[in-house]
Amino acid sequence: RSLCAVAVVDAASASGVGIDVENARPLGEELHGMILREAERPRIAALPLALRDLGGMLVFSIKEAVYKAIYPHRRVFLEFHQVELRFE
């Protein structure tokens, strides 16, 4: 209940993993515009109630993990808005 951790593996090379660990807390409203794409906001609102408050931080952590998985091999810097998440 105190951490949010995400691991992402780049399937194309499978030689790296992106891991990000954050405190399990809501993402500050002042960061929403920088981190979240407009399409992600209703997706966060549709998360189960137990995850909804942490949805912004979850998106932030996943995007950080994606960057950490890709950058060492591809040397491509991704901005937060270049990655869009969909929850299933």
Side-chain angles (χ1 to χ4, degrees), residues 7-18 65-66 68-74:
V8 175
V9 175
D10 177 10
S13 67
S15 62
V17 65
V66 167
K68 291 173 181 178
I70 292 173
Y71 185 80
H73 302 287
R74 307 255 169 80

Side-chain angles (χ1 to χ4, degrees), residues 22-74:
E22 302 292 336
N23 289 321
R25 61 180 169 74
L27 184 68
E29 287 288 329
E30 70 280 4
L31 298 175
H32 282 204
M34 184 174 87
I35 307 295
L36 305 175
R37 293 179 63 136
E38 284 301 316
E40 293 167 331
R41 293 171 190 259
R43 294 173 188 155
I44 290 171
L47 286 172
L49 189 57
L51 292 176
R52 203 168 297 147
D53 286 344
L54 300 177
M57 185 59 74
L58 180 63
V59 169
F60 170 78
S61 190
I62 293 169
K63 288 182 179 190
E64 283 288 303
V66 167
Y67 168 77
K68 291 173 181 178
I70 292 173
Y71 185 80
H73 302 287
R74 307 255 169 80

